[in-house]
Amino acid sequence: MTKRQHYRPVYARTRWARWRHRLGWLLILVLLLGSIWGGLMWLRWRSASVVEGFNIRGVAVSQNDGYLDFAALQNDGLKFVYMHATQGASYTDDNFSSNYERIIGTSLGVGVVHTFSFSSSASAQAAYFEKTVGDSIGNLPIAIQVNYYGNYTDKTIAVRQARQKLRALVTKLTQDYDRKCVIWSTPELMKQVVKPAIKQSSLWLDTTNTHHRSKRVLFMHYSDRAVYQQNGTRQEFSGLIFNGNSAQYNQVVAESLN
């Protein structure tokens, strides 16, 4: 008598294959979500570590930020605001005047930013800044931002001329306003143009490597996505930190007002 063999129905094998396929995809999905969550946690930790220990925080604002409620920014913990004012010898930020008028009603520290032009002369830039800004320079050092723009790169700028223009501009504004300047730039341009031209002015560095900086670095721009409450919503700003404590910050303000 032939021994009877037991066979699993074909539909049972098919059903198991489907479940095994689903479990495989579920495992992949769990691993993917875990990686995303871990990445987000690392980014959050990284962002927190960049500003850890820096209690004097601010933002840089321009017309791109729209109408601003400076009292709300102050209530959210900000200590100072830098406002973009002029660029080169012919451009003015559309919101500068109105922003400046409204921020005076707060206790925020106030500074103004002039964006350096590689093509305009130092005298033309200084004259335009003084005509546009007048005495509305706040109570912080005047910031001069030096960045590549348009067709200007490390390969195309005339380095020696750029250094001479920057030095002349800083000298002119410092003398005319009796106010120190701070030079805002990237590490690359700091090395190429700023430091060889300017030996004493304070520096403002674009960097996320914020710790253990020299005292010459007065401010750091650490993010373009610093979030603060604005008009009842969360808005992203150019986040700034002051490289020092409250006493040192108050000293900078006092020196600017003397």
Side-chain angles (χ1 to χ4, degrees):
M1 184 176 181
T2 305
K3 187 176 180 180
R4 187 175 179 179
Q5 296 184 8
H6 295 280
Y7 294 95
R8 296 181 63 192
V10 173
Y11 72 80
R13 292 198 300 270
T14 303
R15 185 170 58 186
W16 168 243
R18 287 199 301 265
W19 275 106
R20 186 170 56 185
H21 181 74
R22 291 171 182 172
L23 288 172
W25 277 109
L26 180 62
L27 179 61
I28 292 173
L29 180 60
V30 169
L31 291 174
L32 179 61
L33 291 175
S35 298
I36 294 174
W37 183 84
L40 291 174
M41 291 301 99
W42 183 87
L43 288 174
R44 181 175 294 181
W45 172 84
R46 173 63 178 167
S47 298
S49 66
V50 167
V51 297
E52 184 178 3
F54 297 99
N55 298 321
I56 311 299
R57 302 180 188 180
V59 292
V61 301
S62 71
Q63 63 190 40
N64 296 328
D65 295 303
Y67 181 88
L68 297 173
D69 183 348
F70 292 106
L73 292 176
Q74 179 178 308
N75 291 337
D76 207 18
L78 289 183
K79 300 297 184 183
F80 65 95
V81 173
Y82 263 91
M83 300 179 175
H84 284 273
T86 55
Q87 179 176 331
S90 60
Y91 176 81
T92 305
D93 187 282
D94 290 341
N95 288 2
F96 171 69
S97 295
S98 61
N99 280 341
Y100 194 90
E101 290 176 1
R102 285 181 292 105
I103 201 172
I104 299 302
T106 71
S107 60
L108 288 164
V110 182
V112 295
V113 181
H114 171 77
T115 302
F116 178 78
S117 168
F118 293 107
S119 58
S120 301
S121 69
S123 58
Q125 292 186 63
Y128 186 73
F129 178 88
E130 293 176 15
K131 177 183 177 181
T132 304
V133 174
D135 294 329
S136 302
I137 58 171
N139 55 3
L140 293 172
I142 298 170
I144 300 175
Q145 185 177 25
V146 184
N147 277 334
Y148 298 125
Y149 61 89
N151 295 323
Y152 290 104
T153 68
D154 60 331
K155 300 295 192 299
T156 61
I157 64 169
V159 175
R160 181 176 297 179
Q161 293 180 9
R163 292 173 180 173
Q164 292 173 345
K165 287 182 182 179
L166 180 60
R167 186 185 303 115
L169 178 60
V170 170
T171 300
K172 177 67 172 171
L173 293 181
T174 301
Q175 290 177 345
D176 290 354
Y177 281 100
D178 194 22
R179 176 74 59 90
K180 292 181 179 179
C181 292
V182 57
I183 315 302
W184 176 5
S185 194
T186 63
E188 181 182 4
L189 271 166
M190 285 288 184
K191 181 178 180 180
Q192 184 183 31
V193 175
V194 178
K195 287 185 176 180
I198 309 297
K199 301 299 183 182
Q200 294 183 339
S201 294
S202 297
L203 304 178
W204 175 339
L205 194 60
D206 282 336
T207 184
T208 56
N209 185 15
T210 53
H211 295 277
H212 309 297
R213 290 293 181 177
S214 70
K215 292 183 178 180
R216 190 181 177 190
V217 177
L218 194 63
F219 299 107
M220 286 172 279
H221 168 216
Y222 68 91
S223 175
D224 286 325
R225 304 187 65 179
V227 178
Y228 291 96
Q229 291 291 332
Q230 177 61 202
N231 297 320
T233 62
R234 293 163 62 83
Q235 182 172 334
E236 294 180 346
F237 293 91
S238 294
L240 313 176
I241 51 178
F242 173 75
N243 186 29
N245 56 35
S246 296
Q248 292 167 328
Y249 171 77
N250 291 334
Q251 183 178 354
V252 169
V253 172
E255 290 176 351
S256 297
L257 293 177
N258 287 339

